[in-house]
Amino acid sequence: MAKINEIFGSMVFNDAVMKERLPKATYAALKEATETNKNLTVDVANVVAAEMKNWALERGATHFAHWFQPLTGVTAEKHDAFISPVGDGTVIMDFSGKELIKGEPDGSSFPSGGIRATFEARGYTNWDPTSYAFIKEKTLCIPTAFFAYGGEALDEKTPLLRSMDAVNKQALRIVKLFGMNNVENMITSVGPEQEYFLVDREVCEQRPDLVYCGRTLFGAKPPKRQELADHYFGAIKPRVKKFMEELNEELWKIGILSKTEHNEVAPAQHEIAPIYTETNVALDHNQITMEILKKVAKRHDMVCLLHEKPFAGVNGSGKHTNWSIATDTGINLLKPGSDPENNKIFQLMLAAVIQAVDDYQDLLRVSVASAGNDHRLGGNEAPPAIISIFLGDEIGRLVDSIISGAELKNIERFRIDGATVLPAFQSDTTDRNRTSPFAFTGNRFEFRMTGSEQSIGDACFVINTIVAESLMQFADKLEAAEDFDKAVDEVIKEALTAHHRIIFNGDNYTDEWVAEADRRGLLNLTSTVDAAPYLIAKKNVELFKRHRIFSEIESTARYEIKLDEYAKLINIEALTMIEMAKRSIAPSVSEYCRDLANTALAKKELGVNIKAEKDVLDKISDLAAVLNDKIAILEEAELKADEFEMLEKANYFHDEVIPKMNELRLICDELETMTSADYWPFPGYGELLFSVK
Ligand code: ADP
Ligand code: MG
């Protein structure tokens, strides 16, 4: 393998490459345009495009693509070859500034909510010069935003870029008030920790549920799951190690700062985390990471499952989203420093986040709502559906003292002296609670509800926007204040006092917390259908309008898309279950019964005891009859769904179809434990979870 520093970023048209290859004036114009959000002139775009093309051709690229993130959760790209005919039967390699800046893909096959009905189907892609172009499989990929014909955002990137502007604008007001006049931009950063499962490809492909839905819809409990916790941080198997090596190399080539890799708690579960970067780049990088995870796994004859809950009874996968905000001069406003008691800008930022999370619990919950993540939130390993903040002892006590006005007692920090050969260190008091959905972890907040398969775009733009709102309210007060220092203390105290209910340092998995949260008036939105309507709640539509994230049409479109996606997904799952149960499970069980009966008959002729066969046959035959009923009930329920639209339809799937799917599963899983393994049509949980040796 080549040296890491040689391959890192070798397929990225990054700042260093631009500086080296672009004429000085072009480079300066491009920099200025990206830093001040100005439009590029066609002349500058032409020069950049020509050099980008030369650079890409040197690296073997043949095509270019506007790479974008429609609301399907995955990325899209339409490839065009660089070729351009010159009239004599030959071609030249061409790529213009216009082609770089703007694309016009047909938008009609991408989700658009109600927007498509109102406007033309055509869509636009628009170059995002703040995220570098890169080469992927001989194609120069240009990160772009995706709009409808009327300018409405139809992707993950646009609201995120808008939210970065919003939080920048408000946070700048705050830092200026604190006299930090050299700051020009406020930067929000994110580090997403991506969890995933690896299953042997041959084993996986025998399961229609994994092939169609990415999760198992049936499966009896195997003798061993994660009870021994022997997988977490365990030695990585050689086959997985090889996969990770290739994965890292691919990610490094396109400039993704892949840093941490380890086994997770469940068998076959792993995690990859990059070093944090600016939010929109982190979003792009995470989308590419998910794509490359799948591709590289295939090359190693494995399948990478990104679904939030591929296996019942086994930990699901999340994507902890670590978020912070810093000045462009490198000061992280969420860093308490050595004297948090007197670090007012930190306290103000902390209060802003606490207020934001309390006021907009609903939006945070919606930002992670999907049919897949519904299985996880509220399950026993993931945060529950109730949003609360964990601060840890140290910052928790600081907040208490601010609210009560009592003096902060000397913060106790206990030392862990392991042995004389180990250096003494202070234990980190901030991150002992893994059950919290929104935890302060020393210099950032960690939003733990994001699902492994979801785009982090929604979570990021919501966090940016709701924090922008708090900061706007704070800045309004502070700018008008006569005594600034006094006003800062008041604003902090006021916000912490008003929003203290959102702080919870205990165990979020307990029933007591559910009751306590209810007493505190916190929301508990247990499913996507409960959460989705908050997207069009008046206060939230107004918030998005105020900060120029969404027009009302755009908010409504997102709401409709969410419901539509939910209904479609559950429908596919129901149909897959029917197909598997009807065409594979029922016939296999019947075949097993036939052979059992034949055995019994033969034994009876010999005058041998047939009780064993008869007992099993009796039981299985009874269950098989129930199985047929359950299939018919689910079939009927699935057909009826067509009578409904939108919220009613999503609710119907949630209330009527899912319970019937669960009942069908229960019968099938029981039959699995009673049917000879030789007859069972699919590899079971044991085989799936331990398929990668
Ligand atoms: P853990 O599993 O203990 O939470 P990891 O090292 O797996 O820790 O992941 C932590 C993630 O948080 C990494 O992506 C890291 O880059 C990111 N991170 C660290 N500091 C910050 C910060 N100031 N802002 C945003 N993300 C951060
Ligand atoms: Mg981690």
Side-chain angles (χ1 to χ4, degrees):
M1 192 173 107
K3 284 196 188 124
I4 297 177
N5 58 357
E6 279 167 22
I7 56 170
F8 189 85
S10 58
M11 289 297 179
V12 187
F13 196 71
N14 58 25
D15 196 55
V17 175
M18 288 190 258
K19 206 169 190 171
E20 187 194 312
R21 299 186 68 130
L22 294 176
K24 264 205 171 75
T26 310
Y27 175 77
L30 180 62
K31 271 246 128 166
E32 183 175 341
T34 50
E35 274 163 21
T36 56
N37 285 333
K38 271 198 214 123
N39 282 340
L40 272 185
T41 64
V42 180
D43 289 346
V44 173
N46 278 335
V47 178
V48 176
E51 203 42 49
M52 234 187 220
K53 175 204 69 188
N54 292 339
W55 170 85
L57 291 175
E58 284 165 25
R59 277 153 191 79
T62 54
H63 289 67
F64 69 91
H66 273 200
W67 181 82
F68 59 104
Q69 303 171 26
L71 295 167
T72 51
V74 289
T75 59
E77 49 199 74
K78 180 177 141 220
H79 294 187
D80 279 301
F82 285 118
I83 54 169
S84 173
V86 282
D88 61 355
T90 63
V91 291
I92 55 161
M93 294 296 162
D94 198 21
F95 183 47
S96 70
K98 196 170 158 274
E99 286 171 307
L100 166 64
I101 290 177
K102 193 172 157 195
E104 291 188 23
D106 182 354
S108 58
S109 296
F110 296 110
S112 71
I115 288 174
R116 197 164 52 238
T118 338
F119 299 93
E120 278 191 47
R122 204 162 4 132
Y124 291 118
T125 50
N126 206 285
W127 181 32
D128 169 16
T130 60
S131 183
Y132 300 133
F134 57 94
I135 298 170
K136 184 171 64 86
E137 289 161 351
K138 297 197 175 177
T139 299
L140 170 68
C141 295
I142 298 146
T144 56
F146 178 49
F147 299 94
Y149 182 70
E152 294 83 5
L154 286 181
D155 67 345
E156 293 287 351
K157 188 189 267 281
T158 306
L160 182 57
L161 290 173
R162 291 173 181 165
S163 75
M164 287 162 69
D165 284 347
V167 75
N168 175 43
K169 184 172 157 196
Q170 304 304 336
L172 267 182
R173 290 173 67 193
I174 299 283
V175 297
K176 299 277 173 199
L177 283 165
F178 277 87
M180 297 156 88
N181 289 317
N182 56 339
V183 176
E184 287 176 9
N185 272 303
M186 295 300 297
I187 295 158
T188 51
S189 295
V190 156
E193 302 166 53
Q194 175 77 50
E195 292 181 333
Y196 59 93
F197 280 85
L198 285 176
V199 179
D200 182 81
R201 188 172 169 179
E202 222 186 289
V203 178
C204 191
E205 282 174 354
Q206 295 170 51
R207 303 263 328 195
D209 46 3
L210 285 178
V211 172
Y212 295 137
C213 312
R215 78 173 181 105
T216 53
L217 300 166
F218 300 103
K221 184 175 173 294
K224 181 183 174 194
R225 288 180 296 190
Q226 62 193 44
E227 297 81 356
L228 302 177
D230 48 354
H231 194 251
Y232 192 51
F233 279 34
I236 297 170
K237 289 174 184 142
R239 188 168 166 198
V240 176
K241 185 78 201 143
K242 277 216 180 90
F243 154 84
M244 285 178 172
E245 270 169 25
E246 193 176 323
L247 173 69
N248 281 329
E249 207 171 316
E250 293 275 323
L251 295 175
W252 289 334
K253 268 195 236 164
I254 47 179
I256 296 177
L257 291 154
S258 167
K259 166 108 175 150
T260 310
E261 57 192 25
H262 57 79
N263 287 353
E264 265 299 332
V265 178
Q269 194 184 26
H270 310 276
E271 178 185 297
I272 179 168
I275 297 173
Y276 64 96
T277 45
E278 213 167 323
T279 2
N280 68 321
V281 176
L283 167 63
D284 289 359
H285 282 182
N286 182 251
Q287 291 293 340
I288 306 170
T289 301
M290 290 197 282
E291 183 184 324
I292 293 181
L293 271 166
K294 289 196 173 255
K295 280 196 182 135
V296 176
K298 262 205 187 120
R299 280 188 228 141
H300 290 254
D301 283 321
M302 296 187 284
V303 173
C304 173
L305 300 174
L306 289 172
H307 194 281
E308 283 80 13
K309 196 76 178 175
F311 306 101
V314 170
N315 274 8
S317 298
K319 181 148 54 192
H320 294 178
T321 304
N322 295 269
W323 180 93
S324 68
I325 181 164
T327 65
D328 57 2
T329 53
I331 300 167
N332 176 358
L333 300 192
L334 284 174
K335 201 170 169 180
S338 55
D339 187 17
E341 296 92 304
N342 293 306
N343 188 347
K344 296 294 173 187
I345 196 157
F346 160 72
Q347 291 177 13
L348 195 73
M349 202 54 228
L350 188 72
V353 175
I354 290 170
Q355 172 172 316
V357 172
D358 187 28
D359 277 344
Y360 295 99
Q361 299 160 45
D362 47 4
L363 280 182
L364 280 169
R365 177 64 186 88
V366 187
S367 78
V368 294
S370 70
N373 214 18
D374 277 1
H375 296 285
R376 186 175 154 259
L377 302 177
N380 231 18
E381 84 284 356
I386 304 164
I387 311 259
S388 67
I389 295 182
F390 171 80
L391 288 179
D393 294 346
E394 213 170 315
I395 302 303
R397 256 182 281 167
L398 170 64
V399 166
D400 289 344
S401 84
I402 293 172
I403 293 173
S404 67
E407 202 186 322
L408 185 65
K409 295 213 189 70
N410 224 354
I411 295 174
E412 250 175 70
R413 297 187 171 98
F414 61 80
R415 282 164 60 95
I416 298 181
D417 290 310
T420 45
V421 292
L422 300 176
F425 64 92
Q426 274 174 351
S427 76
D428 180 357
T429 58
T430 55
D431 190 22
R432 287 196 225 123
N433 189 338
R434 306 295 293 180
T435 68
S436 175
F438 207 98
F440 181 68
T441 48
N443 61 354
R444 61 188 186 270
F445 276 98
E446 186 169 337
F447 184 36
R448 298 191 176 127
M449 290 169 91
T450 329
S452 49
E453 197 163 27
Q454 291 175 323
S455 161
I456 56 169
D458 282 8
C460 291
F461 89 69
V462 167
I463 298 176
N464 285 349
T465 308
I466 63 180
V467 171
E469 171 68 20
S470 299
L471 293 176
M472 186 189 80
Q473 293 179 16
F474 291 0
D476 284 350
K477 283 184 195 158
L478 295 175
E479 279 168 1
E482 272 167 25
D483 182 342
F484 176 71
D485 289 342
K486 198 166 148 244
V488 168
D489 283 339
E490 275 168 17
V491 165
I492 295 169
K493 186 170 174 170
E494 228 176 78
L496 292 178
T497 310
H499 300 286
H500 193 243
R501 64 168 184 169
I502 198 76
I503 299 167
F504 178 63
N505 288 329
D507 184 350
N508 286 254
Y509 295 168
T510 61
D511 293 338
E512 289 80 43
W513 168 234
V514 177
E516 165 68 16
D518 187 45
R519 270 194 298 279
R520 293 190 190 186
L522 301 180
L523 286 174
N524 185 4
L525 305 170
T526 54
S527 73
T528 300
V529 290
D530 290 336
Y534 286 90
L535 265 175
I536 48 166
K538 191 159 183 294
K539 91 176 208 299
N540 296 332
V541 171
E542 292 301 320
L543 172 87
F544 286 139
K545 277 204 316 214
R546 193 155 55 246
H547 294 280
R548 299 181 185 283
I549 312 298
F550 289 140
S551 65
E552 187 157 359
I553 291 177
E554 288 172 314
S555 287
T556 309
R558 304 247 155 186
Y559 162 72
E560 292 184 2
I561 290 167
K562 201 169 268 287
L563 293 175
D564 188 47
E565 184 192 68
Y566 179 86
K568 279 187 180 143
L569 230 140
I570 306 292
N571 195 44
I572 292 172
E573 290 188 347
L575 290 174
T576 306
M577 284 189 96
I578 293 167
E579 156 115 2
M580 287 172 79
K582 207 166 153 177
R583 300 187 54 205
S584 298
I585 296 176
S588 301
V589 169
S590 168
E591 212 174 303
Y592 179 51
C593 288
R594 181 198 63 203
D595 289 356
L596 266 179
N598 283 339
T599 308
L601 282 176
K603 279 170 91 178
K604 199 176 172 192
E605 243 167 61
L606 296 172
V608 179
N609 183 341
I610 59 163
K611 186 170 183 311
E613 285 79 10
K614 192 167 175 311
D615 282 355
V616 177
L617 254 177
D618 271 346
K619 258 192 171 163
I620 296 188
S621 302
D622 287 350
L623 278 177
V626 182
L627 171 63
N628 275 354
D629 286 349
K630 298 287 178 197
I631 293 173
I633 292 170
L634 181 58
E635 273 181 321
E636 198 185 325
E638 191 275 330
L639 276 177
K640 201 168 157 5
D642 273 345
E643 294 171 17
F644 305 98
E645 293 278 349
M646 281 302 150
L647 186 59
E648 255 187 355
K649 187 168 191 162
N651 271 323
Y652 177 79
F653 273 106
H654 179 264
D655 300 341
E656 300 296 331
V657 178
I658 290 180
K660 297 181 176 77
M661 288 164 63
N662 293 340
E663 281 172 33
L664 176 59
R665 176 178 184 150
L666 214 66
I667 297 290
C668 290
D669 289 359
E670 194 170 350
L671 278 166
E672 184 182 344
T673 64
M674 298 167 65
T675 307
S676 157
D678 293 340
Y679 290 74
W680 197 253
F682 314 112
Y685 266 31
E687 212 176 321
L688 285 168
L689 287 168
F690 299 95
S691 64
V692 175
K693 306 263 165 16

